[in-house]
Amino acid sequence: RAPQLPPCEHKPKAYTGPSFDETLAARKEFLSPGLFLYYKQPLMVVEGHMQYVYDQTGRRYLDAFGGIVTVSAGHCHPHVTKAAVDQLNTIAHTTTIYLNNQITEYAKLLASKMPGNLKCVYFVNSGSEANDLAILMARLYTGNYDLIALRNCYHGGVASAMGLTAHSTWKFNVPHSFGVHHAMTPDPYRGVWGRDDRDAGRKYAADIKDLILNGTPGKVAGFFAESIQGVGGVVIFPDGYLKEAYRIVREHGGVCIADEVQAGFGRTGTHYWGFETQGVIPDIVTMAKSIGNGAPLAAVVTTPEIAKTLAQRIHFNTFGGNPVSCAIGKAVLEVIDREKRQQHCLEMGKILLAGFHKLHAKHKVIGDVRGMGLMVALEFVKDRATKEPNKDACVQVFERCRELGALVGKGGLHGNIIRITPPMCVTKADLEFLLEVLDIALSEV
Ligand code: PMP
């Protein structure tokens, strides 16, 4: 018997738009071939409700990838939708050349979530834009040029962020990466120092000093790190890594930038921000994805001192701080608080990880299990001793999960990692369904 999704009262609307074949043909003809589709037989998604999405036939799926770690509150969450509709009916666009209450109310609320003196917000539209702006701020503030990022990282697709990104799969053969140097990935599974080494964090961080002394003028503008590497396959740094990395970077004149695009907003369960799991306070924080529950919204939050450097010239972003996006962003923060989503992520994460450890004990193809809260991963290998990546097994499980009704994510440089990052409203029954689906898919490998 195939596993059954938990019951759901929502009835999707009858889909009356263009057919699957028409949609696929139009996509091929009119959209860039640079866009990629998941699944051998692509999936068409026409409706969403909280942790579920529906295809054109009305079939329901568990969205265990959360629209690529983006749907935080839940698809079409009523509070978020109401905020958007109300604002659309009031005024949809002003730009920052006029005062508007939405942007200031939201900035105030977002700043209240930040530690230290991180209270000055610049809104943009995507994670790539946020990181691009953070690069500019770091260089202006420090007067330095060189940047340190980590191997296996992903920071976006615009030229500057592509430069920070360290996966060959995402880097085009054009000039980029000016001044960017990539330090060793502090990866406790694949790296040289493993989970049994209690000093691993400090050892990995020492590579940053070596890189600064060898590859830069001895001074840097900044250091970028995702608080947990997402696209790279949910890589969680060893304890103490960021603390030592930040110390070294600041000693060499740089500011520290945390990319919270995936790990932020309570997803880790234990903390609201991913960097807090490492006990550090960054100088600049970039955020996107979960911030808008699917709306094009992103932000750079920094200290007033660093923010001030942008005032030496005009800096403008037409849609940054759009009142509809801000109304949505504010509603998302309210949902995370009111519905106690951080605590829920912690509880659901425990269930998921416990289930993953059982799968690891049963299926040899799983080399590693890791995660925090609702950001977890399974890494597939051909052999547990050599850790040779097993992409084929990963693809097979990924495809089978979809057939059985669960949408999961892929990741890792070698495409051998399954990522689970569902909307934060996912329930225990959903996770039990997902674990059953994964167990079946794994048994068939
Ligand atoms: N940073 C991280 C950690 C990301 O995962 C992503 C997107 N996958 C980005 C930045 C870029 O965000 P966007 O696609 O909104 O430009």
Side-chain angles (χ1 to χ4, degrees), residues 126-128 131 154-156 226 231 259 261-262 288-289:
S126 69
S128 299
N131 284 325
Y154 184 91
H155 292 291
E226 294 164 85
V231 173
D259 180 329
V261 170
Q262 295 207 13
K289 291 193 187 273

Side-chain angles (χ1 to χ4, degrees), residues 69 227-229 234 236 260 262-278 290 341-350 353 371-376 421 424:
V69 209
S227 300
I228 295 175
Q229 290 185 332
V234 189
I236 297 174
E260 287 284 330
Q262 295 207 13
F265 297 92
R267 184 167 287 281
T268 60
T270 51
H271 298 82
Y272 203 82
W273 303 109
F275 58 76
E276 292 173 310
T277 66
Q278 287 265 326
S290 289
R341 287 306 175 213
Q342 183 184 319
Q343 178 64 22
H344 187 68
C345 286
L346 184 68
E347 286 158 18
M348 294 302 106
K350 280 185 188 151
L353 260 189
M372 272 188 181
L374 287 180
M375 189 169 180
V376 293
T421 52
M424 297 179 188

Side-chain angles (χ1 to χ4, degrees), residues 8-260:
C8 172
E9 280 171 15
H10 179 77
K11 293 277 167 286
K13 298 187 264 292
Y15 174 72
T16 56
S19 70
F20 175 90
D21 289 339
E22 285 167 326
T23 306
L24 184 61
R27 162 126 173 176
K28 283 187 178 153
E29 191 174 352
F30 299 111
L31 291 177
S32 167
L35 303 174
F36 62 97
L37 279 165
Y38 258 13
Y39 302 116
K40 285 176 187 134
Q41 171 69 3
L43 176 71
M44 182 160 162
V45 173
V46 298
E47 192 168 328
H49 175 75
M50 301 306 281
Q51 66 272 43
Y52 306 116
V53 293
Y54 299 83
D55 70 11
Q56 73 284 3
T57 68
R59 178 171 179 193
R60 180 163 58 106
Y61 295 85
L62 174 65
D63 185 6
F65 197 23
I68 320 192
V69 209
T70 298
V71 180
S72 45
H75 289 279
C76 304
H77 188 291
H79 182 65
V80 179
T81 302
K82 183 174 184 310
V85 171
D86 286 352
Q87 189 56 37
L88 269 171
N89 281 321
T90 307
I91 186 164
H93 180 73
T94 56
T95 80
T96 46
I97 62 174
Y98 307 118
L99 283 176
N100 176 265
N101 58 305
Q102 289 298 344
I103 184 171
T104 47
E105 280 181 59
Y106 176 40
K108 191 173 167 190
L109 187 59
L110 186 58
S112 77
K113 300 287 174 200
M114 306 301 300
N117 203 24
L118 292 165
K119 60 179 187 199
C120 191
V121 186
Y122 196 122
F123 290 113
V124 290
N125 311 291
S126 69
S128 299
E129 270 187 87
N131 284 325
D132 180 71
L133 190 58
I135 292 174
L136 179 64
M137 287 182 180
R139 285 182 170 151
L140 291 176
Y141 180 70
T142 61
N144 298 332
Y145 173 66
D146 291 77
L147 296 164
I148 308 289
L150 297 178
R151 293 187 191 159
N152 197 48
C153 73
Y154 184 91
H155 292 291
V158 301
S160 58
M162 189 191 294
L164 293 175
T165 295
H167 275 188
S168 53
T169 38
W170 301 102
K171 281 169 110 70
F172 288 77
N173 193 14
V174 296
H176 56 61
S177 306
F178 306 107
V180 179
H181 309 264
H182 289 103
M184 212 181 227
T185 322
D187 179 347
Y189 178 61
R190 291 199 171 270
V192 279
W193 298 294
R195 290 194 187 111
D196 50 348
D197 187 339
R198 298 186 61 187
D199 200 26
R202 197 192 53 77
K203 289 177 179 166
Y204 282 114
D207 184 54
I208 296 172
K209 179 150 187 168
D210 197 50
L211 189 56
I212 293 174
L213 294 181
N214 284 279
T216 78
K219 287 177 178 176
V220 292
F223 166 73
F224 274 83
E226 294 164 85
S227 300
I228 295 175
Q229 290 185 332
V231 173
V234 189
V235 174
I236 297 174
F237 307 148
D239 283 347
Y241 173 75
L242 282 184
K243 220 172 224 170
E244 180 65 2
Y246 279 22
R247 191 190 66 72
I248 293 167
V249 169
R250 286 171 175 152
E251 193 179 83
H252 294 89
V255 295
C256 299
I257 301 124
D259 180 329
E260 287 284 330

